[in-house]
Amino acid sequence: MKRSSGVRLCATAAVSVLSLALITGCSDGGSKDSGDGKGGKSAAKALSAAELKQLIIAKGEVPGYKVGPVEGGIPDKTKVKSDDAQCDPVLRALTGIAPGEPAANTSRMATEDKKDPTDDATSLDDLADGKFEDSLGESMDLDVTVVTLSSYDGDGAEAALKSVSDAVKGCSGGFSGEQDGEKGKFTKVAEEKSSGTGDESVAFTATNDAGKDGALPLHAEVVRHGNTLATYTTINIGAMMSKKAYTVSAPVIKAQTAKLK
């Protein structure tokens, strides 16, 4: 009984709308200083969209992951907003939207390539006695990461990163927001230890209030490489369901960082 396509569709669809209560429907700290603007202002001209597409991770470049277009695409930032404007940078980062006002940006999705435990089942009997639920959870226990590269003129990248860092601190008590009319609430935002890559970075967790499903954490990191930002957002629905800890996918960050050096 093949269910992997449906399970993975659920996972990737959740990433394309990472924010808010839509995730529930599928499932029925320190960083480098990013707030003082130090690290050398770049006078370099922003990279073009074509140049960014050459720099972003591609198929075959992240061991253990399938890389391709973002399922459903990145939402229009005008349709992603919080009830408190200072929290917009956090909410937008969670949906793969480039911070600030980039001159160009591009995105890809990296999905952990794991064998689906339901693939070998040929009938419902094979997954009887509670095994189906266990297998379903296992099949969704994979990291799905959206990577967005964005380029800025002047000190735009520094300012954009600072807006995210400021939002993480200012919205620690949580906030409500919406995407395309779908409303939801995050109960808290907490800074995490970043990967330590790039010139400066900020990593954070935003906890989604998912009602009966409990607290669902989403993880993101924004890293500055000169006048280019790399925004990473990772979701693992299986880990959420089983309350298992997970983080932004380290292999994805490693592969993307290597292309930006």
Side-chain angles (χ1 to χ4, degrees):
M1 181 175 66
K2 301 288 185 179
R3 292 180 177 268
S4 58
S5 60
V7 168
R8 284 172 172 75
L9 178 61
C10 181
T12 53
V15 171
S16 69
V17 288
L18 270 176
S19 61
L20 318 175
L22 295 182
I23 295 169
T24 307
C26 283
S27 66
D28 212 53
S31 68
K32 292 184 180 181
D33 186 1
S34 57
D36 62 5
K38 296 177 182 178
K41 292 186 178 180
S42 173
K45 182 176 175 58
L47 298 176
S48 67
E51 289 172 314
L52 289 178
K53 287 180 180 179
Q54 292 297 315
L55 289 172
I56 199 166
I57 52 171
K59 182 179 179 180
E61 293 182 343
V62 186
Y65 286 75
K66 295 179 179 178
V67 178
V70 178
E71 296 286 342
I74 300 297
D76 185 330
K77 75 174 183 179
T78 63
K79 297 181 180 180
V80 178
K81 56 186 178 181
S82 68
D83 58 351
D84 185 342
Q86 75 166 332
C87 302
D88 283 347
V90 164
L91 184 56
R92 288 171 177 170
L94 292 173
T95 55
I97 297 173
E101 300 295 335
N105 63 89
T106 190
S107 302
R108 293 272 168 79
M109 176 180 284
T111 304
E112 195 171 5
D113 191 11
K114 286 185 176 180
K115 177 179 173 58
D116 191 322
T118 66
D119 283 349
D120 294 331
T122 59
S123 71
L124 284 173
D125 292 336
D126 293 340
L127 294 173
D129 300 324
K131 292 182 180 179
F132 175 71
E133 287 190 8
D134 291 341
S135 294
L136 185 62
E138 290 177 24
S139 68
M140 290 192 291
D141 185 9
L142 49 85
D143 288 349
V144 183
T145 301
V146 170
V147 181
T148 295
L149 294 188
S150 48
S151 189
Y152 306 75
D153 288 314
D155 62 355
E158 292 177 343
L161 181 59
K162 184 176 185 302
S163 73
V164 177
S165 179
D166 289 347
V168 170
K169 295 180 177 67
C171 302
S172 60
F175 63 92
S176 297
E178 65 178 272
Q179 176 181 313
D180 288 328
E182 294 286 344
K183 297 182 179 180
K185 182 178 181 179
F186 289 97
T187 56
K188 64 179 179 179
V189 178
E191 187 168 356
E192 294 186 306
K193 182 178 180 180
S194 74
S195 61
T197 56
D199 299 312
E200 52 182 342
S201 57
V202 61
F204 65 91
T205 299
T207 302
N208 189 339
D209 178 8
K212 66 177 182 179
D213 291 322
L216 302 180
L218 307 177
H219 299 275
E221 180 168 349
V222 183
V223 183
R224 183 175 69 81
H225 299 264
N227 64 335
T228 296
L229 293 184
T231 300
Y232 305 92
T233 307
T234 298
I235 184 173
N236 184 319
I237 294 177
M240 286 179 171
M241 292 172 64
S242 62
K243 307 302 179 185
K244 184 176 73 175
Y246 74 100
T247 62
V248 173
S249 304
V252 176
I253 293 180
K254 181 179 180 180
Q256 184 58 77
T257 299
K259 294 196 72 173
L260 291 170
K261 287 184 178 179

